[in-house]
Amino acid sequence: MKVVILAGGYGTRISEESQYKPKPMVEIGEQPILWHIMKLYSHYGVNDFVICAGYKQHVIKEWFANYFLHTSDITFDFTQDNKIIVNDKHSEKWRVTVVDTGLRTMTGGRIKRIERYIDTDDFYLTYGDAVSNVDIAKLTDFHRAHGKCVTLTAVSLAQQKGILDIDGGNTVTSFREKSDDDGAIINGGYMICNKRIFDYLEDDGTIFEQEPMRRLAAEGELKGYVHDGFWQCMDTQREKALLERLWESGEAPWKVWDK
């Protein structure tokens, strides 16, 4: 199965970084968050990727084109006709197709545009701005067992502020810090779609998270795989700083791979 990664949006809420690059190329520990997501799938033996690019899509293409330069020791030998020698080569088993799905295309439209690259009944689908330690093998088994069109990974989104209880007179009757139990259940990405999903997508203006998902739910074709482990998106500088601290600590929960 292939992994389709949505990586074409503007990333306006982290504009300090995204004015120069697509949000999936914003780095955590000197590697783009896109790389971290791909490493998770690769850990489970999934190595064929389709990147739905758009905004500054050339940055993604150039990064993959120069992957050895980013990950290996390089010798530039100017005495031998400017020869470049890659030392201690670090490579991946990846096959990566970067598709320009348009600058202003909505999420459903981006998925629709890569239909020609899908040659299996099912494919993985996720967003290029969130890391997790979701077990891809168990997610796959869950999807295959129920036979519905789409499986999404359901995660608990913790509240971002302190919790208040207020009575009818606007008096604060209690205040407590947030906890993981306070969060709503949201779509954390890390989805699996049957190719029937393309029948739910119309054109570039289709927003995947609106009419297609509502229709899937109404028809009983949407299942949720409950993930109670780590999940974190990177919408803001605060969230980027959190992920950086976890990575630098050497105990990043999403790093399930060996190296």
Side-chain angles (χ1 to χ4, degrees):
M1 287 166 54
K2 294 184 179 181
V3 184
V4 175
I5 302 178
L6 293 166
Y10 286 94
T12 54
R13 285 183 287 181
I14 192 169
S15 59
E16 301 94 334
E17 301 260 3
S18 62
Q19 62 178 311
Y20 305 110
K21 64 186 74 171
K23 186 164 67 166
M25 297 305 292
V26 174
E27 295 177 347
I28 302 170
E30 300 185 349
Q31 294 286 9
I33 190 170
L34 179 63
W35 176 89
H36 292 261
I37 295 167
M38 294 170 70
K39 289 289 283 186
L40 173 71
Y41 280 101
S42 187
H43 174 72
Y44 288 96
V46 186
N47 294 297
D48 199 344
F49 299 90
V50 178
I51 311 297
C52 298
Y55 171 69
K56 294 189 181 295
Q57 49 90 23
H58 67 280
V59 176
I60 299 176
K61 292 177 179 177
E62 290 171 2
W63 189 83
F64 282 110
N66 295 311
Y67 188 79
F68 286 136
L69 295 179
H70 297 289
T71 60
S72 305
D73 296 333
I74 305 294
T75 298
F76 299 93
D77 192 342
F78 299 111
T79 67
Q80 298 187 34
D81 297 324
N82 296 332
K83 185 176 181 180
I84 298 177
I85 303 170
V86 179
N87 304 300
D88 190 24
K89 183 182 298 185
H90 297 285
S91 63
E92 307 288 348
K93 298 178 180 179
W94 298 342
R95 184 177 188 270
V96 184
T97 302
V98 182
V99 182
D100 183 359
T101 56
L103 188 60
R104 295 177 177 83
T105 309
M106 297 293 103
T107 49
R110 295 190 191 281
I111 300 166
K112 184 71 172 177
R113 284 205 188 191
I114 57 85
E115 180 176 2
R116 67 185 184 274
Y117 295 104
I118 302 302
D119 53 8
T120 56
D121 287 340
D122 296 313
F123 62 94
Y124 298 99
L125 171 67
T126 196
Y127 302 102
D129 62 357
V131 289
S132 178
N133 60 357
V134 60
D135 189 315
I136 299 299
K138 291 182 179 179
L139 170 66
T140 305
D141 289 343
F142 176 83
H143 176 79
R144 289 173 174 168
H146 64 63
K148 300 299 183 180
C149 185
V150 174
T151 298
L152 59 79
T153 295
V155 299
S156 176
L157 179 64
Q159 299 286 339
Q160 301 300 312
K161 307 295 182 182
I163 307 302
L164 304 178
D165 290 321
I166 302 177
D167 66 14
N170 288 344
T171 299
V172 177
T173 59
S174 69
F175 179 93
R176 59 187 171 81
E177 292 297 316
K178 67 176 191 256
S179 76
D180 289 340
D181 295 328
D182 293 319
I185 303 300
I186 66 164
N187 174 16
Y190 294 92
M191 297 169 272
I192 301 179
C193 301
N194 184 271
K195 62 184 179 183
R196 290 185 286 119
I197 191 61
F198 296 114
D199 295 333
Y200 291 77
L201 309 174
E202 294 184 4
D203 52 31
D204 284 359
T206 302
I207 301 173
F208 180 62
E209 299 79 11
Q210 294 184 5
E211 179 58 27
M213 293 291 265
R214 287 195 290 263
R215 183 180 160 196
L216 286 164
E219 295 177 2
E221 289 291 334
L222 181 62
K223 290 285 188 177
Y225 174 78
V226 178
H227 172 61
D228 57 7
F230 180 85
W231 178 90
Q232 179 62 55
C233 64
M234 188 185 64
D235 277 338
T236 65
Q237 282 288 351
R238 182 189 64 81
E239 290 166 341
K240 170 180 162 56
L242 168 63
L243 293 173
E244 285 276 13
R245 288 195 300 272
L246 288 171
W247 184 261
E248 291 171 1
S249 74
E251 298 180 356
W254 69 90
K255 185 183 180 299
V256 298
W257 57 92
D258 293 331
K259 60 181 179 178

